[in-house]
Amino acid sequence: MPALASHRKPRPRVRSTTPAIGFTTAALASVTLLSTQSALAAPAPKPSIEDVQKKVDGLYRQAGTATQHYDQAKEASAKQRAKVDMLLDDIAKRADKLNDARRTLGNYAAAQYRDGALAPTATFFLANDPQSFFDQTHLMNRMAANQQQAVTDFRTKQAEASKKRAEAVTSLETLTESQTRLRTSKQHVQDKLAEARTLLSKLTAEEKARLAELEQKRKDEARLKAAELAKKQAAAKAEADRKAKEAESATGAGTGTGTGTGTGSGSGSDSSATTKAEKVLAFARAQIGKPYVWGATGPSSYDCSGLTQAAWKAAGVTLPRTTWDQVEVGTRIATADLRPGDLVFFYDDISHVGIYKGDGMMIHAPKPGANVREESIYYMPIYGSVRPG
């Protein structure tokens, strides 16, 4: 007899999930560990003193550029303010004239209302005689012409006053724009200087000493280059003097029949330029030790272009306010041909300027926190040079 099949259902096999739980826990633990390691990772390396020096120099340069923008906006704002004030004065005068014209018209209108007006026929019949009629008519015609002229004058003055008021509105809008640029430039300067101060304040005493060493090294290298330029200029001058003496000797060895009527205008021109340069340098030397203050034009402090402007003003020459405008004044000069009093400009954006004093040195107002001083022209990258006057 065959065996009967079992009616019990097979029991489902349950797979254990313990290994999966263990794997997930391990994965989470690994992520946590990695996160902890990331959090505990070493901070970004501290910048080197050389990097700090470059950063600070860059900030001061940006502040110098912003200072020139500030000077430019300040000058534009002052000019626009003067124009607005002039327009407002003109409007006030025109208002007085307009009121006078209005009163004249009012007098004519009052007189016409008070006296009334008769038709020409009635006037003829009421006149004592024909001659009186014609005399009276002639007088009335003249009065009418005067009234018409008064109306024309009033309308003209009214139109002129309206035009000036429109000009004043436009000028005030321009003034507002200039003042906005002025505030923006001022804030930019302050931000860059604050950033530089913050960066320097984080240095240790040892780091500050190292920074000072780097600064001194930079100055020494610039002075060596200045000395080289001084030697070249001295050699060039000696050669020029030698050739001049040879030319003078050759002229003296001639027949001697010359009348000596030369005007010597070249010598006089050189003498005048030398006199101006002496005045410029005398003024600049007198400012040494005074602080650099951005936007300042003296007499107690200066920014770079404020000093050059004031120095050349002492020699009777008016220079524009900013470095960007000063570089366009006068004759462009090669570095090898510099003479005392010439202006030397720096950086590609022409954001700094100094006064050449000879021997590769200049007098300039360097930067915030520093005083007017003598320095090698090679302390900064040279853009170009100009001889004003």
Side-chain angles (χ1 to χ4, degrees), residues 216-232 359-361 375-379:
Q216 188 59 50
K217 180 181 178 182
R218 178 181 173 185
K219 289 182 178 181
D220 291 342
E221 291 174 350
R223 281 185 175 274
L224 286 176
K225 289 184 178 181
E228 292 175 6
L229 176 62
K231 288 180 181 179
K232 292 178 180 179
D359 297 329
M361 303 293 288
E375 197 119 61
S376 167
I377 62 172
Y378 294 103
Y379 181 74

Side-chain angles (χ1 to χ4, degrees), residues 77-93 167-168 171-172 175:
S77 181
K79 288 181 179 178
Q80 198 61 35
R81 167 55 67 186
K83 182 178 180 180
V84 168
D85 289 344
M86 182 179 67
L87 283 171
L88 292 177
D89 289 342
D90 186 69
I91 288 173
K93 293 177 182 178
E167 288 182 23
S171 294
L172 282 170
L175 176 61

Side-chain angles (χ1 to χ4, degrees), residues 15-329:
R15 301 180 62 182
S16 173
T17 58
T18 304
I21 294 174
F23 175 78
T24 304
T25 305
L28 289 173
S30 299
V31 172
T32 304
L33 179 61
L34 290 173
S35 299
T36 304
Q37 289 176 342
S38 299
L40 297 177
K46 190 173 183 179
S48 66
I49 295 301
E50 289 79 6
D51 290 337
V52 172
Q53 183 187 43
K54 290 179 181 178
K55 177 69 173 177
V56 171
D57 287 346
L59 289 170
Y60 277 133
R61 179 183 170 185
Q62 292 173 44
T65 302
T67 296
Q68 293 306 309
H69 282 295
Y70 172 83
D71 292 342
Q72 188 179 55
K74 185 177 181 180
E75 184 178 44
S77 181
K79 288 181 179 178
Q80 198 61 35
R81 167 55 67 186
K83 182 178 180 180
V84 168
D85 289 344
M86 182 179 67
L87 283 171
L88 292 177
D89 289 342
D90 186 69
I91 288 173
K93 293 177 182 178
R94 290 181 184 277
D96 290 340
K97 292 180 180 179
L98 190 62
N99 289 333
D100 290 341
R102 185 178 285 109
R103 280 191 290 271
T104 300
L105 284 180
N107 291 337
Y108 279 127
Q112 188 172 10
Y113 175 80
R114 183 177 60 252
D115 298 336
L118 293 176
T121 303
T123 303
F124 175 80
F125 284 112
L126 292 175
N128 294 328
D129 55 70
Q131 185 62 43
S132 297
F133 168 77
F134 288 116
D135 290 343
Q136 186 176 5
T137 301
H138 179 67
L139 177 61
M140 293 299 295
N141 287 338
R142 289 185 60 186
M143 291 180 64
N146 290 339
Q147 291 177 13
Q148 184 60 43
Q149 184 61 46
V151 171
T152 301
D153 290 345
F154 175 78
R155 288 176 177 173
T156 300
K157 289 180 174 60
Q158 191 177 41
E160 290 175 350
S162 298
K163 182 180 178 181
K164 289 298 178 181
R165 279 195 294 270
E167 288 182 23
V169 170
T170 302
S171 294
L172 282 170
E173 291 174 351
T174 304
L175 176 61
T176 300
E177 293 173 359
S178 297
Q179 290 174 334
T180 300
R181 288 196 302 272
L182 184 64
R183 287 191 294 270
T184 301
S185 299
K186 182 177 181 179
Q187 187 61 52
H188 194 191
V189 175
Q190 292 174 333
D191 290 345
K192 294 301 177 183
L193 294 180
E195 190 175 349
R197 285 192 295 267
T198 300
L199 194 59
L200 291 173
S201 67
K202 294 179 179 178
L203 298 179
T204 65
E206 183 179 352
E207 289 171 332
K208 290 179 180 179
R210 174 59 180 155
L211 187 63
E213 289 178 6
L214 291 175
E215 179 70 10
Q216 188 59 50
K217 180 181 178 182
R218 178 181 173 185
K219 289 182 178 181
D220 291 342
E221 291 174 350
R223 281 185 175 274
L224 286 176
K225 289 184 178 181
E228 292 175 6
L229 176 62
K231 288 180 181 179
K232 292 178 180 179
Q233 289 181 329
K237 184 177 184 304
E239 180 65 15
D241 291 343
R242 184 186 65 79
K243 289 181 178 180
K245 287 182 179 179
E246 288 180 353
E248 185 179 352
S249 298
T251 303
T255 60
T257 58
T259 60
T261 58
T263 61
S265 59
S267 175
S269 176
D270 290 344
S271 176
S272 174
T274 300
T275 300
K276 287 181 180 179
E278 289 173 350
K279 291 180 179 179
V280 169
L281 285 175
F283 180 91
R285 288 191 185 98
Q287 313 314 308
I288 290 177
K290 293 183 179 180
Y292 175 103
V293 174
W294 58 272
T297 56
S300 58
S301 59
Y302 299 89
D303 64 18
C304 65
S305 56
L307 176 63
T308 53
Q309 184 186 49
W312 271 95
K313 184 179 180 181
V317 177
T318 300
L319 293 182
R321 178 65 182 91
T322 69
T323 54
W324 303 318
D325 292 327
Q326 290 180 9
V327 76
E328 301 295 335
V329 176

